[in-house]
Every structure is written in C-alpha cells, then in structure tokens.
C-alpha cells in the first residue's frame, strides 16, 4: 500500500465518477481508494486526479489542504505483473514523448507528482523483498544522475565547439584588422588634397583619358552599371590611389525572372573589397564618381567595428572556458550509488542461490525419504 499527499487547488466542485471501483472524492471526502489496477498509466493518473481535483472543502478546511490517495495491492500476486505492465507502457510512452526510442533508459520518477512512487517500486514492494525495493530506488537515482551527467557532457561539448569557433573568429578579426590597417596606411600615404584641404578624387577608368571630367566619369560608370556582364566574376575597370576598381554582375530571381545587377567595389592590397551604398552606383554623375572614394573612407569605421567584435567575443571567453574546463561534481556520488547497487545485486543473487539450494536439498531429502519408505514397506512384506 502506498500513500502520498496532494495539494487541493479549491476552484470547483467535484462531480461523481461512475463506472470505476476506485472511490470518488466529493466535496466532503478526504481521500481516494483504488481497489483495481487500470490497463493504462494515464487511467491511474486520471483516477488520482479526481481525488485531488479543485473544490474539496473538507480537505481544505479539515485536512491541511491535503488528500490521501491509497492504492491497494497484494504481495506475491498478479498485481506485481500488472504494475510491471504499467511500468513498460509508461516507459514506451515517455520514450515517444522525449524522442528517445533508441535508448532503453528512462526517468522512472515520472509519476512522483501523482503517486509518490514509480511503477518499478510498486513491483519491488509487491515482490515481498525489500532488497528489490532498494535496488529499484538505487537504479532510479543512478538513472537520474547519469541523465544529468549526459546533459553536462553535452553542454560542455557544445561549449567547446562554440569556444573553438569564437577563438577562430577572433583570430580572423585580428587578421582582417591587419589588412585594413595596411590599406589605411596605403591610402593615407597616397591621398591627395587641394589647397582648401579637400580630398581629391583622381579616379582612372579604362577607356577614358586621365583628364576626364566628373561628368564623363559618372556617365561611364552608369553605362557600366547598365551594360556590364561579368558572369559572376570580378572585372577590373580602373584604379584610384593604387587600389583596383572592380565591377561584378550578380544574378537573382525577381517575379519569376532572372534579374541582373552590377555592383562596384574597391579591392585592397590584402584582397579585402570595400563598397559604398552596397555597391550600387548612383545615377547622378558626381555622386557616381565619388562611390569608390567613399568606400575607401569607410576603412577606419571597419577597423573600429572589428575591434568591437573582438572585445565582445573576448568577454564571453572566460564563461565558455570555465564550462569547458569544468568537472561534473556528482561523479563520486554516482560511483557510491553504483557501489551500493552492486552490493544489493550480490545480496539478491546470494539469496536466490541459497533459496534454490535449499529447495534442491529439500527435494533430495524428500526423494530419499520416500525411497526409504518404499524399501521399508518391501521388507515388511
């Protein structure tokens, strides 16, 4: 017999529950008695649920807002077989719900909130052997700790992968900074200004004279924007302060049709490509001619963004390193539980062996006695 307490939520009255042998809890009852065992785990939970449903005024006012749920079973009977069936059914149901069909392990404490015990503990109690109950409880604790350890190791593995990715990203950002600084130095050494301190734009385009006007440069760039077809490759179209000017045709789908768009870029010494307005060329000739210079002037901002990214990543490194280098603190507890389980298993095995030997000796003694009786009977004749 098991007994567990439940909090009554006191929100509505209970209605009679007919057709079951279990006792229905109405407004004036303090507990539930289950005399039969259902065929499904959910039926047992639903039956207990009727006892603890909202609105039990007696439980609230006279029983500390608790309800007793009592399940009757007979030791060394088919009740043990029935609970074992419920246990296996609950195992399969939980495996389906948790998507763990490939593993024959499960948290047997899933019924704790409803019955206070797992099905395997019911089976152990009904066997009449307290060692089996100890074994069931130890296996339950071990399963819980092993599940916790798996979660810990999984989290540590994920953190290790994330840490490695973060370290690689930091190194990549530092490398990009070195290239950006190199381009910035190149630009600052070659940049030209007029007498008013304004930066000049000595852009050179293929097919145009060196003294081409801003209008001619803008018109040339707009023609390239409309007609260039590079088939996904970068095509050099000129230079500015020693940097290559490139155009690339990109293809995308729009309204079910192939849509081609040309993007303009400036390539640095280290291969980094800079864009302004996402590489889209302005239609105004003056704005178009300034596209590449504006792209180069974004280098300091890009360097600052890389430094910020590194600082953000480095601030997260200590936490990840602590997780990766951490140890699961319940390993000794798990070892001790496994040691106790091994001792219980040996004890159960010893008892089974002794019981078998005792039965064997009893049979042999009975056979011997019957043989002697037969011999004695023959002598009397």
């Amino acid at each position: 017999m098991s007994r567990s307490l439940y909090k009554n939520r006191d929100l509505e009255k209970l209605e009679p529950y007919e057709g079951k042998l279990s006792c229905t809890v109405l407004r004036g009852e303090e507990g539930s008695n289950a005399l039969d065992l259902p065929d499904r785990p959910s039926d047992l939970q639903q039956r207990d649920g009727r006892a603890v449903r909202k609105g039990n005024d007696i439980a609230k006012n006279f029983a500390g807002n608790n309800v007793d749920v009592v399940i009757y079973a007979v030791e060394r009977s088919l009740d043990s077989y029935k609970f074992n069936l419920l246990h296996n059914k609950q195992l399969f149901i939980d495996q389906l719900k948790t998507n763990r069909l490939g593993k024959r392990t499960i948290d047997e404490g899933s019924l704790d909130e409803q019955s206070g015990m797992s099905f395997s503990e019911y089976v152990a109690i009904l066997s009449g052997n307290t060692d089996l109950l100890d074994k069931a409880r130890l296996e339950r604790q071990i399963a819980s700790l092993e599940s916790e350890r798996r979660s810990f190791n999984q989290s540590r593995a994920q953190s290790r992968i994330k840490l490695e990715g973060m370290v690689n990203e930091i190194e990549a950002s530092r490398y990009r900074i070195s290239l950006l600084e190199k381009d910035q130095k190149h630009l600052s050494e070659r940049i030209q200004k007029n007498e008013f301190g304004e930066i000049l734009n000595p852009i050179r385009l293929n097919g145009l004279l060196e003294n081409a006007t801003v209008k001619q440069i803008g018109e040339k760039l707009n023609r390239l924007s409309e007609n260039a077809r590079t088939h996904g490759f970068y095509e050099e179209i000129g230079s500015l302060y020693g940097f290559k000017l490139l155009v690339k045709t990109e293809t995308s789908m729009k309204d079910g049709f192939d849509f081609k768009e040309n993007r303009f870029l400036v390539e640095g010494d280290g291969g980094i490509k800079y864009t302004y307005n996402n590489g889209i060329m302005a239609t105004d000739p003056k704005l178009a001619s300034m596209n590449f210079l504006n792209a180069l002037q974004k280098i300091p901002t890009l360097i600052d963004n890389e430094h910020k990214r590194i600082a953000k990543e480095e601030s997260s490194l200590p936490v990840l390193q602590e997780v990766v280098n951490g140890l699961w603190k319940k390993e000794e507890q798990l070892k001790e539980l496994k040691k106790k389980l091994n001792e219980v298993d040996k004890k159960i095995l010893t008892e089974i062996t002794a019981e078998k030997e005792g039965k064997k000796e009893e049979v042999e003694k009975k056979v011997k006695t019957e043989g002697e009786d037969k011999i004695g009977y023959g002598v009397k004749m």
Side-chain angles (χ1 to χ4, degrees):
M1 181 174 69
S2 67
R3 179 178 183 273
S4 53
L5 298 178
Y6 297 82
K7 287 292 180 183
N8 178 58
R9 288 163 288 191
D10 187 35
L11 291 177
E12 66 181 21
K13 296 180 180 180
L14 299 181
E15 299 297 332
Y17 182 46
E18 299 177 354
K20 293 290 183 180
L21 294 179
S22 59
C23 178
T24 302
V25 179
L26 303 179
R27 295 181 66 254
E29 303 223 9
E30 299 183 17
S32 171
N33 294 271
L35 301 179
D36 63 330
L37 296 178
D39 295 323
R40 298 179 301 180
S42 59
D43 291 338
L44 185 60
Q45 296 175 8
Q46 191 269 352
R47 175 183 297 172
D48 294 342
R50 299 202 65 82
V52 297
R53 188 178 293 181
K54 321 155 194 175
N56 193 333
D57 294 338
I58 296 299
K60 176 184 177 183
N61 299 321
F62 302 101
N65 207 31
N66 293 320
V67 175
D68 292 340
V69 175
V70 181
I71 297 178
Y72 296 94
V74 180
E75 289 186 1
R76 301 179 182 274
S77 70
L78 288 177
D79 285 345
S80 177
Y81 170 75
K82 197 64 175 289
F83 270 113
N84 193 46
L85 282 180
L86 290 173
H87 164 68
N88 290 330
K89 290 178 181 179
Q90 186 66 52
L91 173 68
F92 178 70
I93 292 170
D94 287 349
Q95 285 177 328
L96 280 176
K97 290 182 177 179
T98 58
N99 194 24
R100 294 169 59 190
L101 289 177
K103 301 179 180 179
R104 296 301 296 172
T105 60
I106 198 154
D107 180 8
E108 293 180 357
S110 59
L111 292 182
D112 281 357
E113 294 180 358
Q114 295 296 327
S115 67
M117 299 197 322
S118 66
F119 287 127
S120 61
E121 288 175 309
Y122 281 121
V123 174
I125 290 175
L126 295 174
S127 68
N129 189 339
T130 57
D131 292 332
L132 291 177
L133 179 59
D134 293 336
K135 174 180 171 65
R137 288 175 175 171
L138 286 171
E139 287 177 341
R140 173 175 160 188
Q141 294 175 15
I142 290 172
S144 177
L145 287 177
E146 287 181 338
S147 176
E148 182 180 334
R149 182 175 62 180
R150 284 193 298 271
S151 298
F152 175 84
N153 290 334
Q154 183 179 8
S155 176
R156 185 168 60 178
Q158 292 174 348
S159 297
R160 183 181 292 107
I161 294 173
K162 188 175 181 180
L163 178 63
E164 292 175 355
M166 194 172 292
V167 170
N168 292 335
E169 183 60 31
I170 290 175
E171 292 301 321
S173 292
R174 288 173 177 167
Y175 178 69
R176 286 195 293 271
I177 288 175
S178 66
L179 297 179
L180 290 169
E181 289 177 342
K182 183 179 179 181
D183 289 340
Q184 179 63 26
K185 181 180 179 181
H186 181 164
L187 179 63
S188 61
E189 289 175 350
R190 301 185 181 186
I191 201 166
Q192 301 175 14
K193 297 182 180 180
N194 59 20
E195 63 273 14
F196 302 105
E198 298 173 344
I199 298 176
L200 299 178
N201 185 28
I203 187 173
R204 301 287 183 268
L205 292 180
N206 299 338
L208 289 182
L209 299 176
E210 292 187 2
N211 59 351
T213 64
V214 171
K215 182 178 180 180
Q216 291 173 331
I217 293 174
E219 291 175 349
K220 173 71 174 180
L221 291 174
N222 276 280
R223 286 195 299 271
L224 288 172
S225 178
E226 291 291 335
N227 304 318
R229 294 294 181 265
T230 67
H231 306 288
F233 297 97
Y234 293 102
E235 182 178 311
E236 185 175 350
I237 60 173
S239 64
L240 175 63
Y241 289 126
F243 295 99
K244 294 180 181 179
L245 307 183
L246 308 174
V247 63
K248 179 183 179 183
T249 304
E250 296 182 353
T251 304
S252 59
M253 291 291 294
K254 187 175 182 180
D255 297 331
F257 297 96
D258 288 338
F259 179 74
K260 298 183 183 300
E261 188 172 38
N262 289 306
R263 298 185 184 276
F264 295 83
L265 314 93
V266 184
E267 185 177 27
D269 294 337
I272 295 181
K273 296 176 176 59
Y274 308 97
T275 64
Y276 177 76
N277 193 28
N278 200 27
I280 304 300
M281 189 60 61
T283 55
D284 181 77
K286 184 176 181 179
L287 294 177
S289 66
M290 294 294 295
N291 183 284
F292 302 107
L293 183 60
N294 290 335
L296 290 175
Q297 289 180 324
K298 292 172 60 178
I299 294 179
T301 302
L302 297 176
I303 294 175
D304 186 55
N305 290 340
E306 292 294 340
H307 281 297
K308 290 179 179 179
R309 184 179 292 108
I310 290 176
K312 181 180 179 180
E313 299 286 353
E314 288 181 339
S315 65
S316 302
L317 286 180
V319 177
L320 289 175
Q321 288 171 344
E322 183 178 356
V323 174
V324 171
N325 298 327
L327 298 175
W328 191 53
K329 298 180 181 179
K330 297 182 181 180
E331 192 65 46
E332 291 300 323
Q333 181 181 352
L334 179 59
K335 290 180 180 179
E336 185 64 25
L337 288 175
K338 288 184 176 181
K339 181 180 178 182
K340 291 181 180 179
L341 178 61
N342 188 40
E343 293 174 354
V344 172
D345 285 337
K346 289 181 179 179
K347 185 178 179 182
I348 293 173
L349 181 60
T350 301
E351 292 175 354
I352 293 174
T353 303
E355 184 177 353
K356 287 182 178 180
E357 291 178 353
K359 289 182 179 180
K360 183 178 180 181
E361 292 177 358
E362 183 179 346
V363 171
E364 291 176 350
K365 183 178 180 180
K366 184 176 181 181
V367 171
K368 184 178 180 181
T369 302
E370 290 177 353
E372 291 176 351
D373 291 342
K374 288 180 180 180
I375 294 174
Y377 178 77
V379 171
K380 288 180 181 180
M381 290 180 65

